[in-house]
Amino acid sequence: MTDIDIASLTKQTESVSSEFEKDFAATSNDLSHKAIEDVRIKYLGRKGLFTAISEQMRSVKKEDRPEAGKLLNSVKKNMESKLDQLRTLEKKAALTAQLDAKAYDVSLPVAQTAGSLHPVTLMRRTLLKEFRNLGFIVYDGPEMDLEDYNFSALNFKDDHPARDMQDTFFVKDLEKTVLRTHTSNIQIHAMRNERPPMRVVAPGRTYRCDSDLTHTPMFHQIEGFIIDQNISMADMKGVIDTFLKAVFGTDLETRLRPSYFPFVEPGGEVDLQCVACRGKGCRICSHTGWLEIGGLGMIHPNVFEAVDLDSERYTGFAFGFGIDRIAMLKYGLSDLRQLFEGDQAFLSQFPVN
Ligand code: PHE
């Protein structure tokens, strides 16, 4: 093989470089990922024009090699840096095109682009607002609690089957501790901390070992009670009716049905006329025309005793409603579990406030 001298190598690189500059200029005016790749392959690819020159290195005269190496290096660096420039320009152009295609109105109020609130949050806020309007204060209590607060002080006897009936989660290694099965534990906390007259509501998470279309192991309740002198069932019916009408509208009837809970006497359940069929009977209300909202009743004298209140002097009523249940009715949901699956497509349908 004949030796190549530096002069011939320089000549070749000059001619390839000037061709490269032309391609560089043309591509700058017509940017695309493919166009840039084509240029790279044409010069630096396995069979590229520059690659072909650098393969001659082996045949360069020994004394010319250091200089030839420098030359080829600087030509290659120049090509690579110009290809990088093209890539940066291409990215910028793509971003500009994207921004132009979708017009953003940066002057829109933040609330309109700030996501949405969870339906349970929306419902809890609505309920609390209505109860505040009725003069209630909002109380909080522990989700993991002693059996005393969740059961005993609420007049569940030690061997009462209702303790099993509520599908209780007991806390391992902690004696007499449960995940609360209802928000009624807050009744006891509040009654031991405050004295009547009292008007309290308390929303929160509750837990039962249960899962199907209308039950999730974690769910939400809102508890409430009023204690004063001379509180009667008429007060109870009036407050519940006013509250439900405020949430669902004035044209739906409510009704009370007798039922049993150890901590109330008499006890009952409150039904709302079906929001879907307005009382005619449909699939949602199992053709009864009514939907169950929750339990309620006059506070049992044994509960007053457990919190050291004089049951001769005071009377009161308590209620506990399922927030998820009410949200389901209000927003027309078909499956309670939708609320807790974290599906963005579902959740983003709800308003911001
Ligand atoms: N705690 C009861 C339940 O979860 C509901 C209830 C509350 C009933 C207050 C009566 C009074 O089933």
Side-chain angles (χ1 to χ4, degrees):
M1 202 186 284
T2 52
D3 283 351
I4 293 176
D5 62 18
I6 189 78
S8 134
L9 203 69
T10 309
K11 223 172 140 199
Q12 288 184 53
T13 53
E14 271 168 3
S15 128
V16 167
S17 288
S18 88
E19 193 174 340
F20 176 85
E21 292 303 331
K22 275 189 217 143
D23 284 341
F24 171 74
T27 313
S28 308
N29 292 323
D30 182 22
L31 289 161
S32 74
H33 178 73
K34 183 172 183 308
I36 300 168
E37 258 310 273
D38 285 348
V39 176
R40 186 190 66 80
I41 291 165
K42 176 170 172 188
Y43 294 92
L44 300 174
R46 221 154 37 88
K47 293 182 178 158
L49 297 175
F50 175 81
T51 312
I53 298 177
S54 58
E55 271 164 9
Q56 297 174 35
M57 234 345 231
R58 272 174 279 140
S59 324
V60 170
K61 284 194 247 161
K62 216 170 179 184
E63 61 269 31
D64 283 347
R65 274 195 198 161
E67 203 182 329
K70 261 193 208 157
L71 174 68
L72 292 183
N73 253 340
S74 88
V75 171
K76 188 173 183 191
K77 265 204 184 126
N78 175 52
M79 287 181 175
E80 279 172 346
S81 103
K82 288 209 157 128
L83 284 167
D84 270 345
Q85 279 178 38
L86 290 176
R87 289 185 193 110
T88 309
L89 286 173
E90 194 245 336
K91 269 190 205 141
K92 274 194 193 155
L95 186 64
T96 311
Q98 204 184 9
L99 289 173
D100 286 349
K102 190 169 181 199
Y104 285 102
D105 183 351
V106 291
S107 67
L108 276 182
V110 172
Q112 304 222 353
T113 55
S116 57
L117 284 177
H118 194 279
V120 173
T121 303
L122 288 169
M123 202 38 157
R124 189 185 60 236
R125 290 187 178 182
T126 307
L127 302 179
L128 289 181
K129 187 171 145 242
E130 296 308 335
F131 279 119
R132 283 199 185 96
N133 286 343
L134 292 170
F136 284 75
I137 63 157
V138 181
Y139 226 86
D140 199 6
E143 289 176 33
M144 191 169 93
D145 209 352
L146 294 171
E147 282 188 57
D148 181 37
Y149 288 90
N150 195 83
F151 291 127
S152 312
L154 286 164
N155 198 33
F156 286 80
K157 301 287 174 254
D158 282 348
D159 55 354
H160 200 289
R163 291 192 192 224
D164 300 332
M165 188 176 90
Q166 295 212 341
D167 299 309
T168 310
F169 285 114
F170 290 87
V171 179
K172 203 176 163 193
D173 299 336
L174 274 184
E175 235 179 288
K176 297 182 181 306
T177 308
V178 298
L179 295 186
R180 69 174 173 208
T181 56
H182 49 187
T183 42
S184 301
N185 69 328
I186 306 175
Q187 285 189 36
I188 305 302
H189 286 281
M191 289 178 202
R192 282 181 177 161
N193 284 330
E194 322 271 340
R195 295 285 97 175
M198 297 171 73
R199 245 184 239 210
V200 172
V201 272
R205 278 185 277 271
T206 49
Y207 302 86
R208 290 183 202 178
C209 187
D210 207 353
S211 183
D212 59 38
L213 268 179
T214 51
H215 297 89
T216 48
M218 187 284 301
F219 57 106
H220 299 83
Q221 286 191 338
I222 184 164
E223 192 82 9
F225 65 91
I226 291 186
I227 303 173
D228 204 343
Q229 294 178 32
N230 301 319
I231 295 288
S232 72
M233 279 189 78
D235 296 313
M236 177 173 85
K237 189 155 176 21
V239 167
I240 299 305
D241 199 51
T242 309
F243 158 73
L244 287 174
K245 285 200 157 67
V247 176
F248 287 101
T250 48
D251 52 338
L252 289 174
E253 296 293 318
T254 52
R255 75 172 183 189
L256 302 183
R257 246 176 328 109
S259 182
Y260 174 75
F261 300 95
F263 38 98
V264 284
E265 181 58 40
E269 266 162 82
V270 55
D271 292 339
L272 176 72
Q273 218 171 38
C274 179
V275 287
C277 66
R278 312 237 142 210
K280 283 195 210 76
C282 67
R283 228 164 46 94
I284 292 186
C285 57
S286 314
H287 305 282
T288 61
W290 297 93
L291 296 162
E292 192 183 311
I293 298 284
L296 81 185
M298 300 305 290
I299 298 171
H300 198 290
N302 288 355
V303 174
F304 283 131
E305 230 140 82
V307 299
D308 273 331
L309 274 179
D310 183 353
S311 63
E312 294 295 321
R313 188 156 170 226
Y314 293 111
T315 50
F317 67 84
F319 54 86
F321 300 157
I323 302 182
D324 318 310
R325 208 67 220 295
I326 299 176
M328 230 178 133
L329 300 179
K330 180 87 181 168
Y331 300 124
L333 312 179
S334 54
D335 184 344
L336 195 74
R337 290 172 294 196
Q338 281 176 301
L339 291 174
F340 308 117
E341 280 166 353
D343 177 355
Q344 280 300 318
F346 168 73
L347 293 174
S348 61
Q349 302 173 80
F350 292 90
V352 177
N353 53 40

